[in-house]
Amino acid sequence: MHLRQEVERVAGELQTQLDENKCWSHLYQQQEEKIWKQNGKIWDQEHKMLEQQEKIRVQEHKIREQGHKMLEQQEKIRDQEHKIREQGHKMLEQQEKIQEQAHKMREQELKNTGQLSADCTATRHGRSPNMDGELLLLTE
């Protein structure tokens, strides 16, 4: 009888250990599932971070391109301003030349008008100017 009790005792201990192992196995399985879920969340976060980094790279590239375009536009504006200044200088020079020509023409008109007056006076006195502006005596 003693042997039977020993077998039952050992069987009870084994059942207790088996139940405890099942419990531990269940806990391990739950922990593994939590770890898998956490790993999945971490992977999702890493994926989102990579996408954000790519978006940032694209934005930085666009910003650099805009900066280059702005520099090009500024250069074009400077060139246009330079050309406008040059045109302004040329126009001023042309205006000065026109004014000089007008002044010379007025002087010439005044000389011609003065010559005409002298010629008219000379003609009234019986003299006529020749082509060189010399007065010739008119004889009738």
Side-chain angles (χ1 to χ4, degrees):
M1 187 96 166
H2 183 57
L3 187 57
R4 184 174 170 101
Q5 287 177 344
E6 185 65 26
V7 169
E8 286 178 7
R9 186 185 64 76
V10 170
E13 286 178 9
L14 287 175
Q15 186 61 46
T16 303
Q17 284 181 357
L18 183 64
D19 291 343
E20 192 175 315
N21 284 345
K22 284 182 184 178
C23 184
W24 282 109
S25 177
H26 182 69
L27 284 175
Y28 288 142
Q29 186 177 357
Q30 285 179 340
Q31 288 295 328
E32 279 187 17
E33 287 175 9
K34 285 181 182 179
I35 290 171
W36 278 106
K37 285 180 184 178
Q38 286 175 345
N39 284 341
K41 288 179 182 179
I42 290 171
W43 186 88
D44 288 343
Q45 288 175 348
E46 287 176 350
H47 184 70
K48 286 178 184 178
M49 283 175 50
L50 290 173
E51 287 177 347
Q52 287 175 346
Q53 287 175 347
E54 182 60 27
K55 286 179 182 179
I56 290 170
R57 276 192 289 274
V58 168
Q59 287 175 342
E60 287 173 343
H61 180 71
K62 286 179 181 179
I63 289 170
R64 279 192 300 276
E65 284 181 349
Q66 287 175 345
H68 290 304
K69 287 179 182 179
M70 286 177 63
L71 289 174
E72 288 174 2
Q73 286 176 342
Q74 288 175 347
E75 185 65 29
K76 286 179 183 178
I77 289 170
R78 279 193 294 274
D79 288 344
Q80 288 175 345
E81 289 172 346
H82 180 73
K83 288 178 183 177
I84 289 169
R85 280 192 298 277
E86 284 180 351
Q87 287 176 344
H89 291 304
K90 287 179 182 178
M91 288 175 67
L92 285 174
E93 289 174 2
Q94 286 176 344
Q95 265 183 332
E96 288 174 2
K97 287 178 182 178
I98 290 170
Q99 287 173 354
E100 286 176 17
Q101 287 175 346
H103 181 69
K104 287 178 182 179
M105 288 174 67
R106 278 193 300 275
E107 285 179 350
Q108 188 62 40
E109 283 178 18
L110 288 174
K111 285 181 184 178
N112 289 343
T113 305
Q115 185 64 40
L116 264 173
S117 292
D119 290 348
C120 287
T121 306
T123 305
R124 271 187 265 137
H125 295 301
R127 292 178 261 164
S128 173
N130 66 8
M131 294 298 282
D132 295 327
E134 298 172 353
L135 292 178
L136 300 176
L137 224 41
L138 291 175
T139 54
E140 299 182 24

